[in-house]
Amino acid sequence: MNCIRGLFLIACSLSIALSTQSQVQKIYLHPKAAGSEKQSKFIDSVRFIPLEVTPDAQFTQYSNVEVTRDYFMIRNYQAKELVLYDKQGRYIKKISYKKLAGDLYPAYDLRTNQLIFFGYNSTYALTPKDQIKIEMDWSSPKNKKYFKKYSIDLNDSTFAIKKEKPEQKDIIRAYHFYDDIYAAGVIKTSELFTDSLDYEYKLYRDNKFIKGFWPYNRINELKYQYQPESISIGRTDTPYINYITRPYSDIIYKMVHDSITPYYQVVLPLENSLPQSFFTKPFKNKTEKDNFRRNNGMLLHAIHPMYENDRFLYFMVAYLYNWEAYIYQKQTQVTHKAKNIKGDSSQYNLSLLSDFGLTRNKDQFYKTQKAGDLISYFEKHKDVAIPPELEKFIKSNPPATSPIIIEFKFKN
């Protein structure tokens, strides 16, 4: 009887495993032959938001837009400053954070509507081993001096930079996930760890670990040696549903609350797949691993899910030494390389899909475009009507480098 029951349980387990496996949608990606198409077949609802011209705002090709609860925020990483505009493009304020020592950059926290600056104190020259020792003993008061934290409350119109006390969630790089749950997905290995067990992705409540996914050996896991890695999260528009991807894995997982299941598999040609020796044969040192990465730049490193609707899946692939953005068309089961999707006349020949400078807020995407590009287009195409929201701005003869925010959606 016990034998029959055991066989029954095994059969049920196999059935569940096969059922889960069959639900995984395969996306066949051939990087050298990824399809090309007109941009208007993928996106629509293109809208222009000219930003008020002011001497306070200086922009470079590295300036990108982020959408907060009430503002558009244009970052300038080189100048260590950011500029806030309201949602109609009116200038609000320029904020400089040059006085914050070290490489501190703002991260937007939607839950608190704050900009958070957090990192190591540049007064101290810390080695990677020093950092691990400090993080292992993060609760010790003597270790607080090694970290710096500041915030800007976007609910406060003064936008003052305030000094804050680092918390555990800052030090372990945890972020708000949902409800009262925080998540962390930083992966490290070191011989300094006394306990070998760790998880690639961890959930916390009230600073206490509650659940982990994908256990690994944090002392000597081969694929994670010499280089910290991290889990990638793709937020959806549905509460409690997110996409998760892991380093060196071709699976996109769907996470509902705290349950994870495989969702898509991005199938790459053998020439873009990591050899088995990468997972079984250790590198002698960091230099050898870095050389392997440089010499095999188009092997898979990680997949980064960006957005999905009923028709398309937009994702990025990080190869060992390259990046590419792709769009998978569900109906045709064809994967298109974003840089091969060309703007057409119905969208003013603008190339809106790229792997840099694109920001999403729910189902809307945003990117900046220099005013000069659009002015030049309309000068060459006198028969094309200028959109009403651009007409007054263009007639004001703005500097060619003035940014215009372009808002658009994927077709649904």
Side-chain angles (χ1 to χ4, degrees):
M1 185 71 177
N2 289 336
C3 180
I4 294 173
R5 181 180 296 172
L7 290 172
F8 175 75
L9 290 173
I10 292 171
C12 287
S13 299
L14 286 172
S15 176
I16 292 170
L18 290 171
S19 174
T20 301
Q21 188 176 16
S22 65
Q23 293 172 8
V24 178
Q25 173 69 47
K26 293 184 184 295
I27 298 175
Y28 292 93
L29 173 60
H30 299 277
K32 290 182 178 179
S36 62
E37 191 53 272
K38 286 185 177 182
Q39 185 174 270
S40 56
K41 290 194 174 183
F42 298 90
I43 67 174
D44 59 14
S45 306
V46 177
R47 187 170 76 94
F48 300 97
I49 307 168
L51 298 183
E52 182 180 346
V53 177
T54 169
D56 272 357
Q58 301 295 324
F59 301 99
T60 71
Q61 61 177 322
Y62 302 107
S63 299
N64 68 318
V65 61
E66 184 162 355
V67 185
T68 72
R69 191 178 299 168
D70 303 301
Y71 304 109
F72 288 122
M73 181 173 72
I74 304 292
R75 302 169 182 261
N76 188 330
Y77 291 104
Q78 289 178 314
K80 284 198 166 186
E81 61 187 29
L82 55 92
V83 186
L84 296 177
Y85 296 85
D86 68 15
K87 294 295 180 71
Q88 288 71 49
R90 289 186 290 265
Y91 171 80
I92 301 298
K93 189 177 179 65
K94 181 176 78 171
I95 303 171
S96 173
Y97 51 94
K98 293 178 184 177
K99 293 183 180 180
L100 303 185
D103 295 328
L104 299 182
Y105 296 97
Y108 178 60
D109 187 330
L110 177 62
R111 187 189 194 198
T112 62
N113 200 31
Q114 289 182 319
L115 300 178
I116 302 297
F117 301 78
F118 175 78
Y120 283 102
N121 187 343
S122 61
T123 304
Y124 302 93
L126 301 175
T127 67
K129 287 187 176 181
D130 292 332
Q131 294 176 7
I132 288 175
K133 288 179 181 178
I134 292 166
E135 291 182 21
M136 287 172 64
D137 192 24
W138 67 269
S139 59
S140 172
K142 69 178 181 179
N143 284 334
K144 296 293 190 288
K145 65 185 177 183
Y146 294 114
F147 301 95
K148 290 286 187 181
K149 182 181 179 182
Y150 301 88
S151 70
I152 298 174
D153 185 355
L154 296 182
N155 298 308
D156 179 359
S157 60
T158 65
F159 305 111
I161 299 177
K162 299 178 182 178
K163 191 171 184 179
E164 304 280 359
K165 289 184 178 180
E167 302 175 63
Q168 179 200 11
K169 63 182 177 64
D170 302 312
I171 295 168
I172 65 173
R173 271 61 175 182
Y175 59 90
H176 179 249
F177 196 38
Y178 63 84
D179 296 341
D180 60 345
I181 303 296
Y182 276 75
V186 177
I187 306 167
K188 292 181 179 179
T189 61
S190 173
E191 295 178 355
L192 296 173
F193 291 119
T194 54
D195 181 4
S196 63
L197 176 63
D198 199 3
Y199 297 90
E200 295 178 9
Y201 196 57
K202 299 180 282 278
L203 301 182
Y204 296 85
R205 180 188 286 117
D206 298 327
N207 291 331
K208 294 180 180 178
F209 171 80
I210 58 173
K211 192 170 186 178
F213 303 89
W214 304 301
Y216 75 99
N217 188 321
R218 64 176 177 172
I219 295 176
N220 56 14
E221 186 79 31
L222 293 184
K223 61 184 176 181
Y224 296 138
Q225 283 188 313
Y226 308 116
Q227 180 184 343
E229 299 284 358
S230 61
I231 294 292
S232 180
I233 303 293
R235 299 279 191 176
T236 74
D237 299 335
T238 305
Y240 307 113
I241 297 179
N242 297 278
Y243 300 137
I244 309 283
T245 57
R246 307 163 59 199
Y248 310 116
S249 170
D250 60 4
I251 300 294
I252 298 174
Y253 297 87
K254 177 180 276 189
M255 188 169 189
V256 182
H257 286 273
D258 63 352
S259 177
I260 292 177
T261 55
Y263 186 51
Y264 285 109
Q265 180 183 13
V266 179
V267 182
L268 288 159
L270 187 61
E271 64 186 75
N272 300 106
S273 303
L274 287 161
Q276 190 60 32
S277 60
F278 179 84
F279 303 96
T280 58
K281 183 180 178 182
F283 292 98
K284 295 177 182 177
N285 48 46
K286 184 177 184 299
T287 300
E288 186 179 42
K289 187 170 185 178
D290 288 343
N291 288 336
F292 176 85
R293 286 166 53 86
R294 279 191 290 267
N295 295 330
N296 298 275
M298 286 302 293
L299 299 187
L300 175 66
H301 181 195
I303 296 163
H304 299 272
M306 302 294 289
Y307 177 72
E308 183 184 30
N309 66 12
D310 292 340
R311 296 178 64 178
F312 305 109
L313 174 69
Y314 174 49
F315 63 99
M316 292 188 187
V317 176
Y319 300 99
L320 291 183
Y321 229 69
N322 290 281
W323 279 84
E324 287 288 359
Y326 300 96
I327 298 174
Y328 174 67
Q329 193 168 8
K330 296 180 181 180
Q331 186 176 7
T332 61
Q333 297 186 350
V334 173
T335 305
H336 303 266
K337 188 180 293 186
K339 67 173 58 172
N340 290 347
I341 297 172
K342 304 300 182 183
D344 48 86
S345 58
S346 67
Q347 296 175 352
Y348 315 104
N349 291 343
L350 294 169
S351 293
L352 301 178
L353 298 169
S354 65
D355 54 2
F356 175 78
L358 205 58
T359 300
R360 181 171 75 88
N361 181 39
K362 297 183 179 179
D363 65 342
Q364 295 172 319
F365 285 77
Y366 299 85
K367 72 167 296 186
T368 57
Q369 192 81 28
K370 292 179 181 177
D373 298 333
L374 284 160
I375 292 170
S376 176
Y377 175 83
F378 290 116
E379 284 177 348
K380 294 176 182 177
H381 300 84
K382 301 290 187 182
D383 57 324
V384 177
I386 300 175
E389 66 267 27
L390 272 184
E391 193 167 10
K392 183 178 178 181
F393 178 75
I394 289 178
K395 286 181 178 177
S396 70
N397 194 28
T401 55
S402 297
I404 295 171
I405 292 177
I406 304 177
E407 177 189 270
F408 61 92
K409 296 182 179 182
F410 275 86
K411 287 186 172 182
N412 212 336

